[in-house]
Amino acid sequence: MTQPPTSFDSAKFRQVLGHFPTGVTVITAAPESGPVGLAVGSFASVSLDPPLVAFFAAKGSSSWPKIETSGAFCVNILAEDQEDVCRRFASKGDDKFAGLGWKPAGSGAPLLDGVVAWIDCDIQSVAEAGDHVCVMGEVCDLDVSHDGAPLLFFRGGYGRFSI
Ligand SMILES: Cc1cc2nc3c(=O)[nH]c(=O)nc-3n(C[C@H](O)[C@H](O)[C@H](O)COP(=O)(O)O)c2cc1C
């Protein structure tokens, strides 16, 4: 039996879901128009065999259509000292890579300097998900860049492990 929906607004939805802590990634790609990227917290490991990962892109994202045309993306897992990189890629703009160090992964998508780890993928499928799309990626290559700690996001703020 389906429950009758309880009424709640988008502020409550955001506030409650913000209690789930995430890491922060930058999803990059290299379409012909030049490198693109956006900050993404909805990244997840999905399947080992075949190796699949996923993230959710907002339908309002200006980078996502360009990522989709490139057919591939690289997941950059940000390190604890990369809050500024996150803020840069959480903004709108054509020049998010200005002054930033990176090299192309096998797909050509930017692999950012200083990230903890990276996962290079081909887009395997794209599914509707409300005001987002669910992007499934088949992993082509991946590695750990250094054994530093990751950047965390919780209740609308940035944090790090205290170990
Ligand atoms: C911590 C954090 C996590 C985010 N997670 C997502 C996400 O999972 N999916 C998404 O579409 N946008 C996410 N965003 C928002 C985008 O980074 C932001 O809207 C950005 O401006 C999009 O850039 P674009 O228009 O160039 O695609 C997140 C932002 C932050 C700060």
Side-chain angles (χ1 to χ4, degrees), residues 66-84:
K66 299 174 189 165
I67 296 170
E68 188 171 27
T69 59
S70 81
F73 61 87
C74 186
V75 182
N76 291 266
I77 300 177
L78 295 186
E80 63 179 3
D81 62 354
Q82 292 186 303
E83 187 179 322
D84 55 335

Side-chain angles (χ1 to χ4, degrees), residues 126-159:
V126 181
E128 288 292 314
D131 55 11
H132 283 58
V133 290
C134 175
V135 184
M136 196 72 70
E138 177 143 24
V139 178
C140 302
D141 196 7
L142 73 172
D143 212 346
V144 174
S145 302
H146 65 81
D147 63 2
L151 182 64
L152 302 178
F153 195 74
F154 177 58
R155 293 199 316 211
Y158 296 93

Side-chain angles (χ1 to χ4, degrees), residues 57-63 92 131:
K59 287 183 179 169
S61 161
S62 39
S63 296
K92 301 266 174 197
D131 55 11

Side-chain angles (χ1 to χ4, degrees), residues 12-127:
K12 173 92 183 260
F13 186 90
R14 283 172 188 271
Q15 190 242 335
V16 173
L17 274 294
H19 283 69
F20 181 63
T22 66
V24 187
T25 69
V26 173
I27 305 288
T28 58
E32 282 179 14
S33 52
V36 292
L38 76 157
V40 159
S42 60
F43 169 72
S45 167
V46 175
S47 161
L48 185 59
D49 184 18
L52 299 174
V53 296
F55 70 93
F56 293 90
K59 287 183 179 169
S61 161
S62 39
S63 296
W64 163 243
K66 299 174 189 165
I67 296 170
E68 188 171 27
T69 59
S70 81
F73 61 87
C74 186
V75 182
N76 291 266
I77 300 177
L78 295 186
E80 63 179 3
D81 62 354
Q82 292 186 303
E83 187 179 322
D84 55 335
V85 178
C86 179
R87 290 183 187 279
R88 175 191 284 246
F89 283 95
S91 67
K92 301 266 174 197
D94 293 333
D95 210 11
K96 298 188 194 182
F97 289 85
L100 211 59
W102 61 275
K103 62 183 180 189
S107 68
L111 196 176
L112 305 179
D113 287 356
V115 298
V116 169
W118 55 273
I119 304 128
D120 197 28
C121 306
D122 282 336
I123 295 176
Q124 191 244 26
S125 64
V126 181

